Amino acid sequence: MKHDTTSKHYNVGTIGYGWAATAHIAAINATNQGRVTAVCSSRPLDAAELSAKHGSPIKTYERVEDLLADPAIDVVDITGLPSLHRDQAVAAAKAKKHIILEKPMANSPEEVADIVQAAAANGVKGCVCFECRFSNQFQVTKALLDEGLLGTLHYGEVDYYHGIGPWYGQFRWNTAKKDGGSALLTAGCHALDALLMLMGHDVESVTSLSTKSASTIFKPYEYDTSSVTLLHFKNGAIGKSAAIVDCLQPYYFHTHLVGSEGSLLDDKFHSMKLKADKGHWSKLSMKMLDSGDVSDHPYQAQFQAFFDALDKGADMPLTSFKEAKKTFDVIFAADKSAAQGGVPTKVS
Ligand SMILES: NC(=O)c1ccc[n+]([C@@H]2O[C@H](COP(=O)([O-])OP(=O)(O)OC[C@H]3O[C@@H](n4cnc5c(N)ncnc54)[C@H](O)[C@@H]3O)[C@@H](O)[C@H]2O)c1
């Protein structure tokens, strides 16, 4: 662990000890201020084994109440099943712990509202794991937009293609509607969230359709595992986001942005401002989001930004509870639209 001795330390208690948790622990311990000092799991875990594995002392708890009662814990990191997120996040807020919360924040608008309200009422800060916002790919893409190289965007699409089948550990719970929710809630939210960051305007209304693959591999899913959402932004721009979790292909985050000065397609772009040949793409060198593996995800940069914001007593940039709620408001409107066969639905 490399801790900067000049800044504050944050002791983090992780709830849930599955795949995401192991990536979180490594990423938190690699920040300047954070260290995971406790893990809570309903499975009995061996504290000595965990401490040896993660290279620092870790206490273990089997009950969330006991972890929350530990006065040494400053931040709670929620990585368990989505259907438990609301109760765990609200309890953490009431215990005055700051919160790192895996996506989905929760699977209903009421639960998300409860989390945001509890955090505000108890003066704690939140970080939602929309870590793709901190990826090199979207940071470079955003910088290109901020430089004005594409002018004003009037169209954008960011799509998520990632087959989540039995080869993934989370398949065992993700197939149930209670925890998986929808194609957008379970995973496509990353692409929709990236689209909202890049377009930079709030959404007025959405129209969404959904279906599912005929493959027997995805048969256990209780909900539609492919959806496509059209977005109407408040500034008049339009967009599209597909959430496809029943595909059989490599992981692919597809990005196409179209503006008054040029276009961007994944890692290629053209800008009239650079006077290059419009008949050919120019190439950007950046690390692409091309893997569903959590050890490849930019959690460290995101958690560093969260702890830096806590040092200042401020909301974190890009993925605070307030910012992430905007994405979930769009998702809940999209899922409502899809449930009604594509009826245009206002975002509340
Ligand atoms: N932001 C991202 O890119 C990303 C990636 C993966 C998962 N997630 C999210 O993280 C959360 C957890 O997902 P995950 O992939 O870690 O799921 P997981 O199946 O590995 O773990 C989920 C829960 O099951 C428990 N668990 C794991 N193995 C168990 C076992 N053998 N017996 C009993 N319980 C066990 C874990 O403690 C955890 O509470 C979800 O909200 C998911 O959406 C986010």
Side-chain angles (χ1 to χ4, degrees), residues 17 19-20 43 79 102-103 131 172-173 190 294 297 299:
Y17 190 64
W19 195 45
R43 276 172 295 158
T79 71
E102 257 301 352
K103 45 80 5 194
E131 70 281 2
R172 73 185 189 290
W173 53 263
H190 282 304
V294 287
H297 286 205
Y299 285 123

Side-chain angles (χ1 to χ4, degrees), residues 32-283:
N32 293 330
Q33 306 98 309
R35 58 186 165 194
V36 174
T37 55
V39 168
C40 177
S41 170
S42 53
R43 276 172 295 158
L45 296 170
D46 182 58
E49 200 181 306
L50 249 63
S51 305
K53 184 172 173 195
H54 297 289
S56 58
I58 293 181
K59 282 198 228 172
T60 53
Y61 291 102
E62 285 180 34
R63 294 169 2 126
V64 171
E65 308 85 278
D66 296 336
L67 173 85
L68 296 180
D70 182 342
I73 298 293
D74 306 301
V75 177
V76 168
D77 171 32
I78 298 173
T79 71
L81 299 177
S83 58
L84 303 175
H85 284 186
R86 187 263 304 265
D87 287 355
Q88 292 175 345
V90 169
K94 287 186 176 158
K96 309 284 185 206
K97 314 289 187 193
H98 299 295
I99 301 164
I100 294 172
L101 179 58
E102 257 301 352
K103 45 80 5 194
M105 287 181 81
N107 281 339
S108 73
E110 295 77 18
E111 289 171 299
V112 169
D114 286 351
I115 293 170
V116 176
Q117 198 274 334
N122 289 285
V124 300
K125 302 293 183 194
C127 163
V128 174
C129 292
F130 276 147
E131 70 281 2
C132 298
R133 287 193 176 213
F134 289 84
S135 66
N136 186 242
Q137 177 177 351
F138 287 122
Q139 286 289 310
V140 171
T141 303
K142 182 79 171 59
L144 184 126
L145 293 173
D146 291 345
E147 289 294 328
L149 290 173
L150 302 190
T152 304
L153 295 183
H154 58 281
Y155 178 72
E157 56 185 49
V158 183
D159 303 312
Y160 182 90
Y161 295 91
H162 180 204
I164 302 178
W167 48 87
Y168 265 103
Q170 60 169 241
F171 189 73
R172 73 185 189 290
W173 53 263
N174 196 31
T175 51
K177 182 143 179 76
K178 176 172 162 243
D179 280 302
S182 70
L184 274 170
L185 285 164
T186 188
C189 52
H190 282 304
L192 183 77
D193 182 63
L195 178 65
L196 299 190
M197 172 173 89
L198 299 174
M199 297 301 284
H201 289 275
D202 288 342
V203 180
E204 175 78 31
S205 63
V206 288
T207 304
S208 190
L209 293 172
S210 68
T211 188
K212 63 192 299 189
S213 165
S215 165
T216 53
I217 295 172
F218 302 103
K219 207 167 165 29
Y221 276 101
E222 293 173 3
Y223 53 91
D224 280 356
T225 33
S226 281
S227 74
V228 59
T229 302
L230 298 179
L231 301 98
H232 181 208
F233 290 88
K234 286 192 173 157
N235 70 335
I238 54 174
K240 181 211 91 179
S241 187
I244 315 292
V245 297
D246 53 12
C247 54
L248 298 163
Q249 62 163 79
Y251 183 102
Y252 180 41
F253 227 106
H254 166 249
T255 308
H256 201 155
L257 304 173
V258 183
S260 54
E261 296 284 351
S263 287
L264 173 137
L265 175 61
D266 298 331
D267 58 352
K268 303 189 279 283
F269 78 108
H270 175 75
S271 172
M272 298 301 280
K273 289 192 170 174
L274 300 184
K275 305 187 180 4
D277 176 1
K278 183 162 64 63
H280 298 276
W281 293 108
S282 299
K283 188 89 197 273

